[in-house]
Amino acid sequence: MTEPRTWTYLMWAPARWLNSNDRDKRRPDKVIAAWRGTSSAIAQYAKIPRLDRVRITAELQWPDNRRRDAANYMPSIKAAIDGIVLAGVLADDSDKYVAALTIQRGPNCERRHVAAFQGALVLTITEETAVNQQPPVEGPKPRPTFPPKPQVQA
């Protein structure tokens, strides 16, 4: 049994974090482009090959211990995954190609790095192979009828 191939890369926040709670009227096109472009460049530099199906773990690292809701930063993660698609690693970021996406808070990054002022995103891409694929979830089984219907014999 072979282990699935895995790639991990750290990406310093290239712009402000995009947050699901943003009610900002500013168009974040440049911010999204920064996240997408940085992720694409890193994926190309890492020479990640074309993959059919993957599991992605997004670990968010901040330079402080402030309370945050990691799932609120999904727009930043989405832009980074779009960068992976742009780099040609995946054909698309739909469910057909991304089997699972896990978002978690990681350890604090060190402030001594100038780029760490806004934090970092660590993406781990694991190839989904026939060995580690989970079987499809079956739908609910039909319920038996109560009382049972009488069986008529001819």
Side-chain angles (χ1 to χ4, degrees):
M1 186 169 15
T2 61
E3 290 292 319
R5 297 183 297 172
T6 300
W7 295 265
T8 300
Y9 64 84
L10 180 137
M11 182 171 90
W12 297 112
R16 69 179 177 89
W17 288 90
L18 296 166
N19 188 315
S20 296
N21 292 332
D22 283 345
R23 302 291 184 255
D24 212 350
K25 297 297 180 199
R26 293 179 292 167
R27 293 185 48 90
D29 294 345
K30 291 181 181 177
V31 177
I32 292 170
W35 282 94
R36 187 181 295 138
T38 302
S39 180
S40 176
I42 293 171
Q44 288 173 350
Y45 181 77
K47 294 185 169 71
I48 302 174
R50 179 77 165 206
L51 302 171
D52 293 329
R53 193 160 161 85
V54 298
R55 293 177 175 275
I56 300 175
T57 301
E59 183 179 280
L60 293 90
Q61 299 180 352
W62 286 283
D64 54 33
N65 285 324
R66 288 189 315 173
R67 192 173 61 128
R68 292 182 173 92
D69 181 359
N72 272 346
Y73 294 91
M74 184 60 199
S76 296
I77 297 165
K78 168 72 171 128
I81 293 172
D82 286 345
I84 294 170
V85 173
L86 187 65
V89 174
L90 295 172
D92 191 23
D93 58 355
S94 66
D95 295 341
K96 181 178 178 183
Y97 302 98
V98 180
L101 173 61
T102 306
I103 303 170
Q104 61 192 29
R105 182 175 182 147
N108 290 353
C109 54
E110 297 180 22
R111 274 186 173 248
R112 65 187 167 126
H113 300 290
V114 175
F117 180 71
Q118 290 192 19
L121 174 63
V122 178
L123 288 178
T124 303
I125 303 166
T126 305
E127 184 177 29
E128 183 84 353
T129 61
V131 174
N132 69 349
Q133 280 183 357
Q134 295 184 357
V137 177
E138 294 180 18
K141 294 189 170 47
R143 299 170 117 184
T145 55
F146 291 102
K149 294 181 182 176
Q151 304 232 345
V152 179
Q153 293 183 357

